[in-house]
Amino acid sequence: MLGAIRSRAGGPHSLLNTILKCKSGLEPAAAAWAIGGRRNASELTVREALNSAIEEEMSADSKVFIIGEEVGEYQGAYKITKGLLQKFGPDRVLDTPITEAGFTGIGVGSAFYGLKPIVEFMTFNFAMQAIDHIINSAAKTHYMSGGKIEVPIVFRGPNGAAAGVAAQHSQCFAAWYGQCPGLKVLAPYNAEDARGLLKAAIRDPDPVVFLENELMYGESFTVSDEVLDPSFTLPIGKAKIERQGTDLTITAFSKMVGTCLKAAEELAKEGINAEVINLRSIRPLDRETINASVRKTSRLLTVEEGWPQHGVGAEICASVVERSFEYLDAPVERICGADVPMPYAANLERLAVPQLEDIVRAAKRVCYRATEQRAAA
Amino acid sequence: MASSVAARKLLRIARKPWSPSAALSVKRSGSKYFVEAEDPDLCRTGLGGSLFFRLFSSLGASHDSLLHCNYEENAEQRAAFSGATIAYTEDLQFVSKLLPSRIPCFRVLSELGKELGKDVPQLGRTMAQKMYEQMVTLQVLDNVFYNAQRQGRFAFYATCTGEEALNIACAAALNDTDTVFPQYREPGVLLWRGYGLQEFADHCIGNYQGHGKGRQMSIHYGSSKLHYFTISSVLGTQIPHAVGAGYSLKMENEKRCSVTFFGEGAASEGDFHGGVNFAACLEVPVLFICRNNGWAISTPASQQYRGDGIAGRGQAYGVRSIRVDGNDALAVFSAVKAARQLAVDNNEPVLLELMTYRVGHHSTSDDSTKYRDVAEIRHWTEKRDGVARFRNWLESKGWWNKTMEEQFRWYVRAEVIACLAAAEAKNKPPLADLFSDVYDSVPQNLAEQETQVREAVRKCPEVYPTDVPL
């Protein structure tokens, strides 16, 4: 009977359908249809999460469009924009000549005028050729124009280390963009983060830098029905406690969240109960959540893939020392990528990026469980 | 086509630089001559294409001969590459660095203001007088504000001396709702659209009523109401911005145009290349107006480029271009008006290079006598001033005279000085303006900091500076 009501009341996205789904706990077949159908509707890869988020926002608002290299005919360099050209046409999915400065400037110009561009960079390393437009044309304009010009633009693409792509394809830009007032900087970890944060970013009236991770695109996660709903968003500026703990606070973002969760399991075997915080938002940084956690655990370990000097971890350490000094039982510690341009050889690359063992060892140091010296930076 | 004479005549016409199908060949088949275009689409599309088609037809060319592109017969002589069909040649020849003659400069008034040629626009008296008065206002504004900066009344100023005629003529030729992305030497466009003298003064002084709430450097004006985007100091960024905005306008289908101004120096930026190339590919209604004023701070144009200026770059990108005498207000008016029509009707970009001279220093931080001849500056001021040229034309029509000149200049000068004094008397921006507008809504950390400051002021009011209203 419920099925009959559902089919009469409207399509899969109708309000009645949503209510019925929630109340009766029925299989969300509608959601599966919306995202293109898979065997198990509540398994979602990060790639699918991003694709569905963009598609839903483009359907909901005709001002949203996507611009970048290979986003259309090629279906996206990493297939994030798969199917969008076919669905929305070349007016809304623009393949561009090779000029990051050109298409970023054009995107910013169209945002000045009232459209909502999503500018895709093949990697954020290439965004350096357009960084002037990101900072000087997008980030500062609302302020400099006395609030008269809004820039509702999203800059997205893979950030940080991949595998075997060496120095010019592996830099993490979280700290660089995170420093700039006027920008919002997000770093999703899993499929839920990817969907919720990207939708929030597209809807946000401020310029947003959305740092994805190439190695996470293919990773699959179980998501709830709520995540699959087209109205699902996550708040910008709120971190998530991925794992509750009592002995130390580990902060991380993007791919490192996964590594830290695995490290926490290893540490649990040795009796250390770690709390893992998924930052989700680099700017604004959720200092409340981080400090509240440190006040509970008394120890801090920050983890990131980027370089140590002036990194995201440096800011977190400073914030905790400023606000929660009396609560600390041990010096704060940062785990970062090695202070070198990323090498190519697989063995050297492994040494240049934080590994599970590094995090476990650092956690033990912070808990005064080990006496080894830390590796020199 | 029946006669070889007709075919050759057609070829001579077709090979003119303005023809869209300069690359043609004549083939003979029996007693018939066929004129073949490499790319038949060139003959069919656009304004030039349709004229060409009619010309062909009027000279007896058959429909077949026009549209027939004989790939099979000429397979050896041309090949289809990705992007174009190109004829082969067996001669090892480089294309020369420059064409035998540079693109000519369009003008309709002589240096003394006499009408030349048949393309003189017919401006009515009201319009012509308004244009002249605005040019004079701009001159006086620049003069007073430059001196005010030298007196220390505000931090920085840059004049557009020598380019007033260009400014006003461009503004007058555009529609008031066309979106303008300026560089920084085009305040005339703002003036024309109704930005008041008081507003100019408030902005430069940086009081609470200035555009930008006291965050913008002086001369970095902007007005969303007047469709004039806030000036950005970073050179050349406005070029792709204008293309993006033009793309939005095209999607709105409102027959409005996007316009961007830049100097010949800024045209060396990478953004110029990306923006112009893109605008052609995306088919965007945008005008690229280059003010070639000969100097980029101390770099003369001869060191800025080696090609045929900026107009010479247009065709390389597939963009229609024209070079105009920037100090001839009537020529600028005609050209911009025609360009705008082309852009809006065909959804395509147009490139205009307005040749002029930067009479003033680059800005108040510059003394141009250090790197150029004073004689050169004097020559342009006395012999080639665009405002004087327009005035001569106006006087020749009986629409202006010496008395009106004196009275008007006196009146405007008094106005500008009064506005400046009024601006200085107003309050500076309040404390809240330090913290607002970083984002759409005030973030928590800034809200906390503002609260802390206000709390501190409440406790120690005697230490708080007197010129920051709370």
Side-chain angles (χ1 to χ4, degrees):
Chain A
M1 189 197 102
L2 280 170
I5 294 172
R6 189 170 12 172
S7 56
R8 246 195 311 148
H13 293 301
S14 73
L15 185 59
L16 181 61
N17 200 29
T18 311
I19 294 169
L20 289 172
K21 270 195 333 233
C22 296
K23 280 178 79 90
S24 65
L26 292 169
E27 174 71 14
W33 171 87
I35 302 172
R38 283 171 318 287
R39 267 163 292 148
N40 185 345
S42 52
E43 282 281 310
L44 201 62
T45 62
V46 171
R47 178 179 286 114
E48 286 162 343
L50 295 168
N51 181 276
S52 62
I54 298 173
E55 196 202 321
E56 284 163 20
E57 293 306 305
M58 284 179 76
S59 296
D61 186 346
S62 60
K63 289 191 160 51
V64 179
F65 73 99
I66 184 149
I67 183 170
E69 292 156 9
E70 311 296 339
V71 294
E73 292 282 352
Y74 195 74
Q75 309 293 303
Y78 296 98
K79 306 292 182 255
I80 307 299
T81 52
K82 185 171 171 187
L84 297 183
L85 175 67
Q86 283 68 30
K87 180 163 180 193
F88 296 102
D91 274 353
R92 309 251 332 257
V93 180
L94 273 64
D95 273 326
T96 68
I98 305 179
T99 161
E100 278 74 12
F103 67 71
T104 308
I106 285 170
V108 173
S110 71
F112 284 167
Y113 192 66
L115 293 185
K116 294 186 187 172
I118 303 170
V119 177
E120 173 171 312
F121 296 112
M122 212 173 280
T123 97
F124 265 95
N125 296 270
F126 306 152
M128 278 200 281
Q129 292 181 288
I131 200 167
D132 175 72
H133 278 296
I134 299 174
I135 309 300
N136 278 324
S137 302
K140 298 180 185 171
T141 293
H142 192 65
Y143 188 73
M144 286 171 68
S145 70
K148 301 224 179 63
I149 302 179
E150 285 205 329
V151 196
I153 191 168
V154 175
F155 304 102
R156 50 158 292 272
N159 172 64
V165 290
Q168 290 172 340
H169 295 74
S170 306
Q171 190 173 336
C172 175
F173 291 87
W176 283 27
Y177 292 120
Q179 210 202 23
C180 298
L183 284 182
K184 289 179 177 161
V185 183
L186 303 175
Y189 156 59
N190 56 16
E192 176 182 336
D193 289 356
R195 247 181 85 77
L197 292 176
L198 187 53
K199 277 162 147 319
I202 295 170
R203 296 180 193 191
D204 198 288
D206 294 312
V208 180
V209 170
F210 195 81
L211 304 172
E212 301 159 5
N213 186 293
E214 189 201 320
L215 297 176
M216 295 302 296
Y217 283 149
E219 293 283 317
S220 196
F221 295 90
T222 310
V223 295
S224 65
D225 292 348
E226 192 204 342
V227 172
L228 297 172
D229 192 276
S231 63
F232 174 71
T233 59
L234 286 173
I236 291 178
K238 291 296 299 165
K240 181 180 179 201
I241 299 179
E242 292 283 348
R243 183 186 193 282
Q244 296 273 357
T246 52
D247 295 336
L248 85 149
T249 300
I250 305 180
T251 67
F253 60 94
S254 192
K255 182 165 173 292
M256 284 284 115
V257 175
T259 318
C260 290
L261 288 170
K262 292 202 191 87
E265 279 168 30
E266 288 296 312
L267 289 165
K269 292 177 195 160
E270 307 202 28
I272 296 177
N273 188 6
E275 178 149 295
V276 178
I277 300 183
N278 172 6
L279 292 177
R280 283 181 166 174
S281 177
I282 308 294
R283 177 179 262 269
L285 195 58
D286 190 352
R287 296 166 205 275
E288 283 66 37
T289 302
I290 297 166
N291 277 281
S293 170
V294 173
R295 289 175 186 209
K296 187 176 70 168
T297 65
S298 310
R299 294 162 203 278
L300 174 70
L301 172 66
T302 73
V303 179
E304 66 195 295
E305 281 188 328
W307 294 318
Q309 189 167 340
H310 312 298
V312 174
E315 175 62 29
I316 296 174
C317 289
S319 177
V320 164
V321 165
E322 282 164 4
R323 296 191 189 194
S324 311
F325 182 68
E326 312 82 53
Y327 295 84
L328 284 171
D329 284 348
V332 297
E333 195 167 325
R334 305 178 274 177
I335 293 295
C336 316
D339 198 22
V340 297
M342 184 69 68
Y344 168 72
N347 60 332
L348 294 181
E349 188 181 41
R350 220 188 65 84
L351 287 176
V353 174
Q355 303 295 325
L356 187 75
E357 304 78 44
D358 299 313
I359 299 169
V360 168
R361 204 166 42 233
K364 285 188 195 166
R365 273 199 304 270
V366 169
C367 294
Y368 294 142
R369 289 294 194 90
T371 51
E372 298 116 64
Q373 294 298 312
R374 72 180 90 165
Chain B
M1 185 176 303
S3 108
S4 69
V5 169
R8 272 193 277 279
K9 182 175 180 181
L10 200 56
L11 266 184
R12 266 204 306 280
I13 296 168
R15 287 212 169 107
K16 288 275 186 279
W18 42 258
S19 157
S21 293
L24 294 172
S25 58
V26 173
K27 273 188 59 64
R28 183 181 160 174
S29 174
S31 63
K32 286 244 175 74
Y33 287 83
F34 288 93
V35 179
E36 286 178 344
E38 277 182 7
D39 183 356
D41 281 327
L42 277 177
C43 289
R44 276 194 288 249
T45 59
L47 183 66
S50 64
L51 271 180
F52 196 70
F53 195 107
R54 273 184 273 143
L55 188 64
F56 257 71
S57 312
S58 72
L59 287 172
S62 75
H63 198 259
D64 289 336
S65 73
L66 262 184
L67 305 179
H68 180 57
C69 196
N70 199 339
Y71 285 106
E72 297 77 34
E73 261 184 53
N74 297 300
E76 304 239 318
Q77 286 170 24
R78 64 173 75 86
F81 287 100
S82 164
T85 304
I86 301 173
Y88 280 116
T89 170
E90 279 75 47
D91 294 330
L92 176 57
Q93 278 269 27
F94 288 94
V95 175
S96 64
K97 285 197 269 195
L98 288 172
L99 290 175
S101 59
R102 292 173 182 266
I103 296 173
C105 190
F106 172 63
R107 65 166 184 176
V108 295
L109 286 183
S110 72
E111 288 293 347
L112 299 170
K114 202 164 74 92
E115 288 181 13
L116 301 167
K118 50 168 182 45
D119 280 335
V120 185
Q122 297 309 307
L123 296 180
R125 177 178 187 156
T126 325
M127 174 68 137
Q129 198 170 318
K130 181 181 177 197
M131 280 172 71
Y132 182 70
E133 285 172 358
Q134 294 255 306
M135 289 180 205
V136 171
T137 307
L138 195 49
Q139 255 184 0
V140 172
L141 181 73
D142 271 348
N143 181 260
V144 172
F145 277 26
Y146 184 88
N147 287 310
Q149 192 279 343
R150 293 335 259 152
Q151 291 167 7
R153 290 156 84 176
F154 50 87
F156 175 87
Y157 195 71
T159 66
C160 58
T161 312
E163 302 177 52
E164 301 93 343
L166 185 161
N167 262 249
I168 301 299
C170 284
L174 296 171
N175 280 16
D176 282 350
T177 52
D178 289 336
T179 55
V180 172
F181 287 80
Q183 180 155 310
Y184 47 68
R185 245 184 259 288
E186 304 91 14
V189 178
L190 259 184
L191 188 67
W192 178 267
R193 288 182 175 186
Y195 203 69
L197 294 174
Q198 189 62 60
E199 292 179 86
F200 281 105
D202 286 339
H203 172 92
C204 288
I205 294 292
N207 63 34
Y208 79 99
Q209 285 190 321
H211 163 76
K213 297 182 188 170
R215 296 160 191 154
Q216 279 281 14
M217 265 179 85
S218 32
I219 74 150
H220 287 60
Y221 314 107
S223 168
S224 30
K225 195 175 59 139
L226 302 177
H227 306 282
Y228 187 96
F229 274 78
T230 309
I231 289 167
S232 163
S233 305
V234 189
L235 280 187
T237 54
Q238 71 273 18
I239 300 174
H241 292 170
V243 177
Y247 188 79
S248 316
L249 289 177
K250 175 174 138 172
M251 284 173 70
E252 279 185 359
N253 206 15
E254 249 187 54
K255 297 294 181 192
R256 286 162 64 191
C257 188
S258 184
V259 183
T260 179
F261 292 88
F262 48 93
E264 85 286 352
S268 296
E269 284 277 359
D271 275 348
F272 170 83
H273 164 85
V276 177
N277 185 37
F278 239 114
C281 295
L282 289 178
E283 295 172 10
V284 173
V286 57
L287 299 189
F288 296 108
I289 303 183
C290 175
R291 289 178 298 97
N292 187 333
N293 62 14
W295 291 94
I297 310 191
S298 68
T299 307
S302 56
Q303 287 178 21
Q304 194 66 247
Y305 49 73
R306 287 297 154 85
D308 183 11
I310 313 308
R313 298 180 192 172
Q315 196 172 51
Y317 293 119
V319 171
R320 250 192 267 256
S321 327
I322 188 170
R323 175 171 281 146
V324 185
D325 183 345
N327 286 4
D328 178 348
L330 291 183
V332 171
F333 182 89
S334 278
V336 172
K337 219 168 184 42
R340 190 200 172 274
Q341 209 55 50
L342 272 175
V344 162
D345 286 345
N346 303 330
N347 272 338
E348 67 176 48
V350 182
L351 176 63
L352 297 95
E353 184 181 19
L354 310 181
M355 309 302 293
T356 178
Y357 187 80
R358 192 198 79 206
V359 168
H361 306 306
H362 167 71
S363 71
T364 47
S365 312
D366 174 48
D367 174 10
S368 62
T369 58
K370 294 238 151 51
Y371 51 77
R372 59 181 181 176
D373 244 331
V374 174
E376 182 187 286
I377 307 175
R378 201 177 297 132
H379 167 79
W380 279 88
T381 316
E382 291 167 9
K383 300 251 168 36
R384 299 181 68 176
D385 179 39
V387 180
R389 197 199 259 185
F390 194 65
R391 179 175 64 243
N392 287 337
W393 175 75
L394 216 54
E395 283 172 352
S396 76
K397 305 279 270 192
W399 293 343
W400 197 258
N401 59 50
K402 202 145 166 259
T403 319
M404 290 168 85
E405 175 80 9
E406 276 168 16
Q407 278 178 350
F408 189 76
R409 278 194 188 263
W410 181 89
Y411 162 72
V412 171
R413 193 176 171 80
E415 266 290 302
V416 173
I417 291 174
C419 288
L420 200 52
E424 283 172 324
K426 290 184 192 168
N427 269 340
K428 290 280 198 265
L431 181 67
D433 280 352
L434 181 64
F435 298 102
S436 59
D437 300 320
V438 181
Y439 295 99
D440 192 64
S441 46
V442 181
Q444 199 190 353
N445 65 325
L446 290 182
E448 275 170 22
Q449 288 171 32
E450 188 179 345
T451 312
Q452 282 168 12
V453 173
R454 289 187 189 276
E455 189 50 35
V457 172
R458 199 185 56 79
K459 287 195 188 135
C460 314
E462 68 281 0
V463 191
Y464 188 68
T466 50
D467 64 346
V468 186
L470 280 169

